[in-house]
Amino acid sequence: MTLPYGRDDDSAAYHYINAALRGRDAEAWRLLAADSHVEQTDRVLRAMLDRIAVARTHRTAERATARARAAAGEITQAEYQRDAAEDATKASKTAHFETLLREHHRQIAQAARRLRGDDVRDELTDLVLALGAAVDAHRSAVLAAGYEPTPADEALWARLGELDVPDTDEGRTSVEDLVRRHAERQDDLGRVLAGIILDVAGAATSVPRSALLTEWKKTVAPTLAPEQKTEFAAKGKGSLATERLRKTMGHLERKGLVKRSPDGQRLDLLDRAGLADVADGRE
């Protein structure tokens, strides 16, 4: 048995997948996850999730407009409540369908990633980034101390700009630029987290990680693009916002500003003044 459409016919794939989601046909999903079609299936499922996200944003805007009209007396409260109830029913059905869609997409996305070699690529990129960051830190330390770099130092530093790696946004980018962008992102998130830590801690010397996570999600999660969240979830690593918090905590730890408790459930403040400097962008 084969799928009744070609690998370039996403329109037909959409209709087939939509029926498979509602019918829960195990054989259909076996075919959809086959190497010959899994990347197309992944692409179509992502598009379906994107449409749901766009529709949700549009619906939220419509409800805000309706509330304003009701408050201004342009429509009656009864009309507003009736429309709100209908919208809630539609939203509930959409949420159920989205849950089902995401369950299937996690499996499909993992199969597509394996086929493309994405996990291996990500591991290698992380390794290159770690090595590049170490070289950059070495360069900064030598220059900050006023030492005369050796020819070996200069040759090592030059490689940062000469080596390039695949980049999803720009095709290819130098390792040096990759390190710079990573450092800027870490600094930006570090400023956000430092402010949250100080606000949550008050006069206390430590804060529960759960309290930080709650405030972090309120601040950072809305800034993450839906496709970023979907891509990360497809890797089976949980929440992207939570992962960003973990890495940003490590960033502040390396600066000597905070320290995680042995069980990882609390964060001790080691340098309150230093956290304030980071939060205010002075460091």
Side-chain angles (χ1 to χ4, degrees):
M1 183 178 176
T2 59
L3 291 172
Y5 55 83
R7 284 179 288 181
D8 59 348
D9 191 349
D10 284 7
S11 178
Y14 171 84
H15 292 293
Y16 186 90
I17 290 170
N18 194 44
L21 282 165
R22 299 177 190 281
R24 305 195 182 192
D25 185 340
E27 175 62 15
W29 284 103
R30 186 189 67 78
L31 295 171
L32 288 167
D35 288 356
S36 58
H37 281 80
V38 69
E39 291 187 87
Q40 180 190 39
T41 304
D42 180 45
R43 183 170 65 245
V44 172
L45 288 172
R46 288 174 189 274
M48 294 172 76
L49 287 168
D50 287 343
R51 278 194 285 270
I52 289 174
V54 170
R56 180 179 292 116
T57 300
H58 181 66
R59 188 169 59 247
T60 299
E62 285 185 331
R63 297 318 311 156
T65 300
R67 280 195 298 273
R69 292 186 65 200
E74 296 178 14
I75 59 174
T76 67
Q77 282 296 322
E79 290 175 316
Y80 172 73
Q81 293 296 339
R82 184 182 64 247
D83 290 346
E86 291 177 357
D87 187 66
T89 299
K90 292 178 183 177
S92 178
K93 291 180 179 178
T94 299
H96 176 74
F97 181 71
E98 183 181 7
T99 298
L100 182 64
L101 179 58
R102 290 190 180 279
E103 288 175 358
H104 283 286
H105 181 246
R106 277 194 291 271
Q107 299 172 18
I108 292 295
Q110 288 173 1
R113 286 181 60 81
R114 285 194 297 271
L115 184 65
R116 291 191 298 259
D118 288 351
D119 290 336
V120 174
R121 183 200 63 201
D122 288 350
E123 288 181 15
L124 291 175
T125 299
D126 288 345
L127 177 59
V128 169
L129 181 60
L131 292 173
V135 173
D136 185 58
H138 169 257
R139 175 172 58 187
S140 297
V142 169
L143 297 178
Y147 297 134
E148 184 70 24
T150 67
D153 287 333
E154 293 179 338
L156 180 63
W157 301 342
R159 295 297 288 169
L160 276 180
E162 295 171 358
L163 292 175
D164 63 10
V165 293
D167 184 271
T168 54
D169 298 323
E170 302 177 14
R172 297 191 73 83
T173 189
S174 70
V175 172
E176 186 170 32
D177 189 51
L178 185 67
V179 169
R180 177 187 58 77
R181 282 190 282 143
H182 177 73
E184 289 174 353
R185 184 166 60 248
Q186 284 292 84
D187 287 341
D188 288 341
L189 292 175
R191 281 191 285 273
V192 172
L193 182 56
I196 290 174
I197 291 171
L198 292 172
D199 289 342
V200 173
T205 59
S206 71
V207 293
R209 183 182 181 279
S210 58
L212 293 179
L213 180 58
T214 298
E215 294 305 313
W216 177 262
K217 286 187 173 180
K218 290 179 184 177
T219 306
V220 173
T223 69
L224 301 174
E227 58 270 21
Q228 288 180 298
K229 297 178 183 178
T230 300
E231 176 70 26
F232 190 80
K235 298 178 183 179
K237 297 181 180 179
S239 163
L240 177 57
T242 302
E243 175 66 8
R244 290 276 173 88
L245 174 61
R246 183 186 68 80
K247 289 186 175 181
T248 307
M249 281 183 176
H251 179 63
L252 295 183
E253 278 189 307
R254 288 188 291 276
K255 287 178 174 288
L257 303 176
V258 297
K259 182 180 180 181
R260 277 173 281 196
S261 62
D263 62 3
Q265 297 307 305
R266 297 193 67 84
L267 196 69
D268 296 329
L269 283 67
L270 303 181
D271 185 347
R272 189 179 294 271
L275 282 170
D277 285 343
V278 169
D280 293 337
R282 294 192 296 268
E283 182 181 309

